[in-house]
């Protein structure tokens, strides 16, 4: 399998998401354990993985088969490849060989490369999302009686800002966790079981973002995670996880698929409470009008 084929194949996490509705109760235990400690839990022996989850060894083998692998070692080989990709830095990626389309002009090649990679990421990411998971997340945000908190890391904070600006137009009690992480404790002070945390975290996973999500989960907040195909450690605390593709074969990871997935979620929230959203936007437009001169 070449690098391009490998990049377009679904990850183990994505295959679990696709098959989530078909898993038995015992298989769901394995899925939860693997997604909660991804990908390391799946690199254990069959016996160790089975014992830790309280299921039989044959159940582990059936689980691997049900999510699309010929064998448990086949699944482990995929996980080892994902682990290697998960640890890559921009410096590592900048030295990788690039595919060329021989268009003649270097910038033409770059445009073609980015177009193909971005479109592929969006299509693959949205195809791997479980619609029921999306619907539950939309309802969670739309019906939340407390506050919706938004948090992102060094690069993903832009997604958090984008979500914040839209959500505060659609509903009240939307808060963005921002500034130096030393001040985040002030947000944790208020967060609780009536609240939702929408958090963004991709590879080179950010320790302070992970720590905030874990603390929020311990205070019974409901966590919705946007992450990459290798899964942030926050997945183990999250109620809903949306893994999207971020690789383009270039130095930097892409937020294009994350943005499209986020816009899908936001559109869903708007459709969930349309009258409430329309009334709020109408009121906002009135407030924005310049005062009439006397």
């Amino acid at each position: 399998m070449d690098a391009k084929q490998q990049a377009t194949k679904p990850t183990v996490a994505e295959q679990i998401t696709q098959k989530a509705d078909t898993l038995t109760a015992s298989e769901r235990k394995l899925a939860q354990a693997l997604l909660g400690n991804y990908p390391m839990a799946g690199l254990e022996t069959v016996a160790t993985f089975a014992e830790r989850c309280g299921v039989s060894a044959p159940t582990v083998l059936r689980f691997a088969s049900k999510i699309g692998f010929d064998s448990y070692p086949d699944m482990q080989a995929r996980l080892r490849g994902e682990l290697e990709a998960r640890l890559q830095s921009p410096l590592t990626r900048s030295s990788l060989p690039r595919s060329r389309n021989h268009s003649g002009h270097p910038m033409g090649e770059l445009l073609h490369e980015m177009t193909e990679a971005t479109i592929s990421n969006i299509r693959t990411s949205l195809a791997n999302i479980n619609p029921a998971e999306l619907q539950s997340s939309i309802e969670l945000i739309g019906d939340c009686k407390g506050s919706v908190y938004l948090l992102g890391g060094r690069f993903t904070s832009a997604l958090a800002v984008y979500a914040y600006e839209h959500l505060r137009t659609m509903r009240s009690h939307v808060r963005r966790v921002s500034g130096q992480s030393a001040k985040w404790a002030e947000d944790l002070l208020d967060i609780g079981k009536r609240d939702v945390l929408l958090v963004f975290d991709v590879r080179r996973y950010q320790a302070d973002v992970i720590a905030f999500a874990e603390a929020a989960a311990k205070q019974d907040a409901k966590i919705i995670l946007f992450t990459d195909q290798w899964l942030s450690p926050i997945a183990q605390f999250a109620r809903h996880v949306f893994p999207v593709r971020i690789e383009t074969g270039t130095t930097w990871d892409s937020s294009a698929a994350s943005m499209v997935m986020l816009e899908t979620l936001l559109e869903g929230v708007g459709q969930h409470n349309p009258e409430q959203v329309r009334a709020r936007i109408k009121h906002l437009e009135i407030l924005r009008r310049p005062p009439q001169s006397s």
Side-chain angles (χ1 to χ4, degrees), residues 177-290:
V177 183
S178 61
Q180 295 182 348
S181 57
K183 293 176 60 65
W184 294 357
E186 297 167 13
D187 291 292
L188 281 173
L189 187 64
D190 297 327
I191 200 167
K193 64 182 180 181
R194 289 163 50 87
D195 303 316
V196 173
L197 171 64
L198 178 56
V199 59
F200 304 84
D201 190 39
V202 297
R203 69 174 166 188
R204 313 304 296 281
Y205 310 109
Q206 200 163 312
D208 52 0
V209 174
I210 296 167
F212 185 96
E214 182 175 11
K218 287 179 178 177
Q219 293 176 204
D220 297 322
K222 302 165 189 69
I223 313 297
I224 299 172
L225 170 66
F226 274 55
T227 185
D228 53 41
Q229 61 261 46
W230 308 288
L231 299 189
S232 161
I234 296 171
Q236 62 190 297
F237 320 123
R239 176 171 296 198
H240 299 294
V241 179
F242 295 104
V244 298
R245 295 301 181 102
I246 63 173
E247 279 195 306
T248 59
T250 61
T251 303
W252 306 104
D253 288 330
S254 168
S255 294
S258 300
M259 178 61 81
V260 174
M261 186 62 225
L262 176 58
E263 291 185 327
T264 303
L265 177 75
L266 293 171
E267 176 62 19
V269 173
Q271 292 182 9
H272 181 63
N273 292 314
E275 296 306 317
Q276 173 186 309
V277 171
R278 284 178 59 83
R280 189 171 171 86
I281 294 174
K282 183 177 180 180
H283 188 199
L284 180 60
E285 291 299 317
I286 293 172
L287 294 173
R288 282 175 172 164
R289 290 175 187 166

